[in-house]
Amino acid sequence: MCEPQVGPTTNLTISNKVIVPDGFPRSTILAGGKFPGPLIKANDGDHFAINVVNKLDDGFMFTSISVVSGKIYLIGMGSSKNGINYADDVSFVTQCPIVQNHSFLHAFDVPNQTGTYWYHSHYSTQQCDGLHGSLVICDPNDPLSYLMINTVISIADCPDSRLINGLGRYIGGPESELAVVNVEYGKKYRLRLIGMSCDPSFKFSIDGHNLTVIEKDGQLIEPLLVD
């Protein structure tokens, strides 16, 4: 079984915060006050009940100064939510965004579905402004679980930098903190790689190592060795 950081039953508060992901401060919209947002973990067959609470208050980032004041929008990419299209997360099509100081309960089941996904805002540019995070549904009967240690690696961006697990460096900027993933020699790791970038123009590799791809978009595939 997975030990969840949050979820699948949780309150997820959305708020504004100034962060320094690449050596330069910027205003953001965050889930749970974290960048990226907190990892939501569940097991196959679990019931999700995620109460999204809008506490946005930055007047320069879609708050009470406009008709769409403080509105946020959450979508679980790739996870099947059959029978609840009223919460299908297509802004102004099947669901209205969540207005400032209000909340919406995302309640759904995902039976017989496991894998690596992510959640993000689907309203305006809020995904690019930091409102995204990882979502993992684990298989308690995973035949490979005893072989590998699970690690989530997210790739996102700021306007002029690439970020791994929320940290990176701007070219020509200060030597800001970088993300570190600790590993032990001789052990196998399942890297749950999630692209959260608004400009997804990157390649992922590990110097001196090959990688074996075993899953894509929540679907197990025939293992493929890549460099």
Side-chain angles (χ1 to χ4, degrees), residues 4-81:
Q5 181 171 338
V6 299
T9 299
T10 189
N11 287 319
L12 195 63
T13 300
I14 312 301
S15 59
N16 296 110
K17 187 176 182 180
V18 175
I19 63 174
V20 188
D22 62 352
F24 292 87
R26 63 165 301 186
S27 298
T28 59
I29 300 173
L30 304 183
K34 297 181 179 181
F35 179 73
L39 168 63
I40 299 175
K41 274 190 175 181
N43 287 289
D44 184 21
D46 282 351
H47 175 73
F48 283 82
I50 301 173
N51 187 44
V52 182
V53 184
N54 183 350
K55 291 296 183 181
L56 296 177
D57 58 5
D58 187 330
F60 294 96
M61 302 180 74
F62 291 101
T63 58
S64 58
I65 61 171
S66 70
V67 176
V68 291
S69 61
K71 294 182 178 178
I72 59 175
Y73 196 71
L74 192 72
I75 181 169
M77 289 298 293
S79 62
S80 174
K81 296 196 291 185

Side-chain angles (χ1 to χ4, degrees), residues 73-194:
Y73 196 71
L74 192 72
I75 181 169
M77 289 298 293
S79 62
S80 174
K81 296 196 291 185
N82 294 329
I84 55 168
N85 66 316
Y86 61 86
D88 199 33
D89 310 313
V90 181
S91 189
F92 301 111
V93 178
T94 55
Q95 182 183 1
C96 292
I98 306 168
V99 297
Q100 190 178 30
N101 295 320
H102 285 71
S103 63
F104 181 83
L105 178 64
H106 285 264
F108 57 94
D109 297 297
V110 283
N112 303 316
Q113 183 174 3
T114 60
T116 305
Y117 308 98
W118 65 307
Y119 61 91
H120 64 84
S121 173
H122 211 256
Y123 185 82
S124 186
T125 59
Q126 290 178 338
Q127 173 198 332
C128 304
D129 290 325
L131 184 42
H132 52 246
S134 307
L135 189 156
V136 174
I137 304 176
C138 298
D139 181 359
N141 301 312
D142 183 358
L144 302 178
S145 61
Y146 74 98
L147 290 174
M148 297 176 288
I149 301 171
N150 281 270
T151 299
V152 174
I153 296 179
S154 66
I155 298 178
D157 55 2
C158 277
D160 293 295
S161 61
R162 295 292 180 262
L163 310 175
I164 294 178
N165 289 348
L167 296 172
R169 287 180 182 171
Y170 178 88
I171 296 177
E175 293 188 0
S176 56
E177 183 181 1
L178 296 175
V180 176
V181 178
N182 294 310
V183 298
E184 293 184 35
Y185 179 79
K187 293 187 176 180
K188 291 185 178 181
Y189 291 81
R190 170 181 270 172
L191 305 180
R192 295 184 179 271
L193 189 64
I194 305 175

